[in-house]
Amino acid sequence: MAKKKTAIVNRRRVLTDPVFELTRQNNAEFTRACKANRLLRRAFALAMLNKADRYVSGRLTKTMFNILQSDPVNGRGERRVTNGVLGILEGFNFNRDTSLQNVLRGPYSVTINHDITQATISFPSFMAKAMIETTSGANACMLSGIAASLSLEEETWPVNPVQTDKMNIILHPREPLQLQLPVIEHKSTNAIIIALGIEFFHEIHGGYQPVEKKHNVLAVVKVFPANEV
């Protein structure tokens, strides 16, 4: 019997053969999701210190791909993250071991001013003992926030993270608390992505000893899409 000749699959064929059209579409969209993941992680690099797990890149790429798939404008292979439902990012935790939803039990709001120069995370009545839950035995914490104006397609991300002083969880008084986050070089085509983080410490004789990174949290708490700012 004659042996059937096997077609050779090479890069040129994958790039041109109609048989591989679906593969080309998937690769193009996956590449865009990876780029959006990379841009957000680079923008949030300072905020992610001591708060992100080692698998965050893969998890974030998956989330970006879900956003890309929600693009109602373009067809398969041409869909983009910037046209998708960016609100899917809200609630994303950079640390898979601990979520902001489990650590922070009090109410807060996220607003942005009319000039789009500052976002504010407001706690109307913040009492650390009642609102902060930690499994590490830490007795001190520090809140941080970041607001980034991003297109998720361009290599620009000027940001300025803001953080509170370290506060004793047991002794901190009940009081209003605000994180006022500058929004730098905003463009009308950019979305504004805001994250809130909590880092824990052991306060010993006036000094602060960091706890294991797995107990700290950072999560996206609000996304203002370009057409809603």
Side-chain angles (χ1 to χ4, degrees):
M1 292 178 64
K3 209 173 190 180
K4 187 175 180 181
K5 189 175 181 180
T6 303
I8 298 174
V9 178
N10 53 35
R11 184 174 185 274
R12 181 187 177 97
R13 186 181 175 206
V14 171
L15 293 176
T16 58
D17 194 327
V19 172
F20 292 96
E21 177 62 24
L22 183 59
T23 299
R24 291 193 292 272
Q25 292 174 353
N26 290 339
N27 286 345
E29 294 191 339
F30 182 72
T31 298
R32 294 189 195 106
C34 288
K35 182 176 182 179
N37 155 40
R38 185 179 73 251
L39 291 177
L40 183 59
R41 285 190 297 110
R42 292 183 71 177
F44 281 12
L46 292 176
M48 290 169 58
L49 287 174
N50 299 320
K51 301 184 191 73
D53 67 74
R54 60 185 293 189
Y55 304 104
V56 65
S57 179
R59 295 191 299 107
L60 188 54
T61 292
K62 182 178 180 180
T63 299
M64 291 298 186
F65 195 76
N66 289 339
I67 294 172
L68 178 146
Q69 289 181 312
S70 70
D71 176 2
V73 178
N74 299 295
R76 188 186 185 97
E78 299 297 327
R79 294 176 295 190
R80 297 183 177 275
V81 174
T82 50
N83 293 123
V85 181
L86 290 177
I88 292 173
L89 260 179
E90 291 185 6
F92 179 84
N93 284 281
F94 289 82
N95 186 351
R96 68 172 188 172
D97 297 314
T98 312
S99 71
L100 182 66
Q101 295 85 347
N102 289 336
V103 169
L104 181 61
R105 299 180 294 187
Y108 62 90
S109 61
V110 183
T111 57
I112 196 162
N113 65 357
H114 293 297
D115 297 331
I116 316 178
T117 57
Q118 179 178 282
T120 303
I121 302 176
S122 301
F123 298 83
S125 180
F126 184 83
M127 185 177 182
K129 183 178 179 180
M131 296 172 61
I132 301 293
E133 178 68 35
T134 175
T135 59
S136 66
N139 59 0
C141 68
M142 178 175 67
L143 275 62
S144 60
I146 189 170
S149 174
L150 298 171
S151 74
L152 295 176
E153 291 186 350
E154 298 178 5
E155 299 279 341
T156 56
W157 50 84
V159 294
N160 186 9
V162 172
Q163 62 188 34
T164 66
D165 294 330
K166 298 180 183 68
M167 61 185 80
N168 187 293
I169 295 175
I170 305 299
L171 303 178
H172 191 269
R174 182 188 296 271
E175 61 183 10
L177 186 151
Q178 286 190 337
L179 289 171
Q180 296 180 336
L181 316 174
V183 179
I184 305 172
E185 297 182 17
H186 175 66
K187 299 178 183 178
S188 60
T189 54
N190 288 4
I192 297 173
I193 302 173
I194 300 168
L196 174 63
I198 304 176
E199 190 170 352
F200 291 100
F201 304 87
H202 295 292
E203 183 180 3
I204 304 173
H205 304 305
Y208 294 93
Q209 180 73 34
V211 303
E212 286 186 78
K213 181 173 68 173
K214 68 179 183 179
H215 297 290
N216 299 328
V217 295
L218 177 72
V220 176
V221 292
K222 187 66 178 179
V223 176
F224 293 96
N227 59 357
E228 296 181 15
V229 178

